[in-house]
Amino acid sequence: MYYQQEEQFRYHILAMQRAGNRELTVQLKELDLTPSQAEVLTVLNERSMLTLKEIGQHLICETGSPSRLVNTLVKNGLVEGKTDEQDQRARRYRLSNQGKQKCTAVKQIEDRLYKHIQSIYTEEELKILNQLFTKYIEQTDFHSVFRKRSLYEGDPDSGEL
Amino acid sequence: MYYQQEEQFRYHILAMQRAGNRELTVQLKELDLTPSQAEVLTVLNERSMLTLKEIGQHLICETGSPSRLVNTLVKNGLVEGKTDEQDQRARRYRLSNQGKQKCTAVKQIEDRLYKHIQSIYTEEELKILNQLFTKYIEQTDFHSVFRKRSLYEGDPDSGEL
DNA sequence: CCCTTTTACATGACGTGTCATTCAATTATA
DNA sequence: TATAATTGAATGACACGTCATGTAAAAGGG
């Protein structure tokens, strides 16, 4: 068969994403959160007072402007927004106290996921995988997201220009 | 940072899936198909006269019973279904002539994707990636899907038990 | 300063993914 | 053979992810 490895690769990526997302969905259900909502909380926990557009630039789960996603969190009292004083169009968002609490709970659940990953791959294998992934990601819009989120280095502020 | 590689891995998987899906979505738009719809066509092209449940067992894009997905294709004239004679509950689906035509067009688009993947990774790297992915997939429900779809061997019938 | 263009966001639309519920056909069981 | 349990599928519900459109604020050009 032509492209056998390529086809396998393509469906592997899809399956891995689906599997991971389901795992997270189940775990996060006890917090009444979806994986996407949890990612927003994580982003706002790292860098507060972001506009919608900025939040979008830090999300891997979604490209465009995550209006609905963030507004759901506002409605649920986890995030609060204020109109930007310089720009009346923009709103700046931050975690509420309840949101901060949720966020620590989210971290525990993420740790479970990371431990699961650790149980499957050695640190050496993960490095190989991530290195190869980077070759792909570099060619996509996501590259800047990873930099902004500081997901490449252990250093938690190198993405902030 | 704890779990740095694991976190990167997790988001890499998400980003790769999103990037690939967007690429496919754009390409398939000229056929008026979505990636999920294209996967159903591909499955029915490999093995015809499947029930909804069986189609679901061959799909990586979706778990449950893909009623709506398949019915959209029926409505668009790409797939036709007949009630199973042994089991009045079940319907058996196959590609219409129009569906078969679409399917060859889909293959060309998939080939473009595979060539893109080839342009990023060597065959050796793909083998390493797929081998590592398999370690993960083996622990999920998707393992049987890959076997049924014969995505593991070049042999196009080994999954049929 | 007015007018055009751009920008930030909201919203409608559409097709998923996922789960729960419902319904009818089939199988198992008492 | 009645009846109960199971199964295949349809459907409602909900939250996405993506695109297109609309609206108001801001920026830019004359």
Side-chain angles (χ1 to χ4, degrees):
Chain A
M1 200 213 287
Y2 295 127
Y3 300 125
Q4 206 235 324
Q5 295 291 327
E6 290 78 6
E7 188 182 26
Q8 205 179 113
F9 171 79
R10 167 200 170 189
Y11 284 114
H12 268 149
I13 291 291
L14 178 55
M16 304 268 293
Q17 189 272 327
R18 290 279 193 271
N21 206 57
R22 277 178 213 161
E23 189 174 338
L24 256 187
T25 300
V26 170
Q27 309 274 333
L28 285 171
K29 182 156 277 174
E30 67 188 55
L31 299 182
D32 268 312
L33 288 175
T34 67
S36 294
Q37 291 168 359
E39 195 185 349
V40 173
L41 295 186
T42 300
V43 163
L44 284 177
N45 192 49
E46 295 265 336
R47 311 176 200 285
S48 201
M49 300 311 284
L50 298 180
T51 67
L52 256 193
K53 192 187 182 189
E54 289 166 345
I55 293 172
Q57 290 169 340
H58 284 80
L59 290 179
I60 288 135
C61 69
E62 192 174 340
T63 342
S65 64
S67 315
R68 269 172 285 241
L69 188 53
V70 171
N71 282 329
T72 303
L73 293 173
V74 171
K75 205 185 311 170
N76 294 350
L78 304 179
V79 166
E80 40 197 35
K82 282 183 192 167
T83 303
D84 186 302
E85 295 174 355
Q86 270 70 45
D87 190 337
Q88 299 287 105
R89 290 170 301 180
R91 308 207 86 213
R92 300 211 160 263
Y93 295 91
R94 68 172 177 194
L95 294 182
S96 68
N97 287 332
Q98 206 191 332
K100 286 176 195 165
Q101 272 181 269
K102 283 270 186 189
C103 216
T104 65
V106 166
K107 271 186 189 160
Q108 290 181 349
I109 286 173
E110 286 177 331
D111 280 0
R112 276 189 235 164
L113 175 65
Y114 298 149
K115 275 182 187 134
H116 183 194
I117 294 172
Q118 266 186 350
S119 78
I120 296 170
Y121 296 122
T122 66
E123 211 67 3
E124 193 53 45
E125 287 172 331
L126 280 177
K127 269 186 195 151
I128 292 170
L129 284 165
N130 282 325
Q131 215 168 310
L132 288 171
F133 287 150
T134 304
K135 283 178 71 174
Y136 196 119
I137 300 293
E138 267 172 358
Q139 300 199 357
T140 71
D141 296 338
F142 290 108
H143 194 225
S144 67
V145 183
F146 277 82
R147 271 195 282 104
K148 283 192 179 130
R149 281 280 288 280
S150 313
L151 286 165
Y152 280 150
E153 319 82 8
D155 178 284
D157 256 311
S158 61
E160 211 63 61
L161 302 184
Chain B
M1 202 211 289
Y2 295 127
Y3 300 125
Q4 205 235 323
Q5 295 291 326
E6 289 79 6
E7 189 183 25
Q8 202 178 117
F9 172 80
R10 168 201 168 188
Y11 283 115
H12 269 149
I13 291 291
L14 178 55
M16 304 268 294
Q17 189 273 326
R18 290 280 193 273
N21 205 57
R22 277 178 213 162
E23 189 174 339
L24 255 187
T25 300
V26 170
Q27 308 273 334
L28 285 172
K29 183 155 278 175
E30 67 189 54
L31 300 182
D32 267 312
L33 288 176
T34 66
S36 295
Q37 291 168 359
E39 195 185 351
V40 173
L41 294 186
T42 300
V43 164
L44 284 177
N45 192 48
E46 295 265 335
R47 311 174 200 287
S48 201
M49 300 312 284
L50 297 181
T51 67
L52 257 194
K53 192 188 181 185
E54 288 165 344
I55 293 172
Q57 290 168 342
H58 285 80
L59 290 178
I60 287 134
C61 69
E62 191 174 341
T63 343
S65 63
S67 315
R68 268 171 288 238
L69 187 54
V70 172
N71 282 330
T72 302
L73 293 172
V74 171
K75 206 185 310 170
N76 295 349
L78 305 179
V79 165
E80 41 196 36
K82 283 183 190 166
T83 303
D84 186 302
E85 294 173 355
Q86 269 70 46
D87 189 337
Q88 301 286 108
R89 292 170 300 183
R91 309 206 85 214
R92 299 211 160 264
Y93 295 91
R94 68 172 177 194
L95 294 183
S96 68
N97 286 334
Q98 205 192 333
K100 284 176 196 164
Q101 272 181 270
K102 283 268 185 190
C103 216
T104 67
V106 166
K107 269 185 190 161
Q108 290 181 349
I109 286 173
E110 286 176 332
D111 280 0
R112 276 189 235 164
L113 175 65
Y114 299 149
K115 274 180 188 135
H116 183 195
I117 294 172
Q118 266 185 351
S119 79
I120 297 171
Y121 297 120
T122 67
E123 212 66 3
E124 193 53 46
E125 287 173 331
L126 280 178
K127 269 186 195 150
I128 292 170
L129 282 165
N130 281 325
Q131 215 168 309
L132 287 171
F133 287 151
T134 304
K135 283 179 70 176
Y136 195 119
I137 300 294
E138 267 173 358
Q139 299 198 0
T140 71
D141 296 340
F142 289 109
H143 194 225
S144 68
V145 183
F146 278 82
R147 271 194 282 104
K148 284 193 178 128
R149 281 281 288 282
S150 312
L151 286 166
Y152 280 150
E153 320 81 9
D155 179 285
D157 259 310
S158 61
E160 212 63 63
L161 300 185

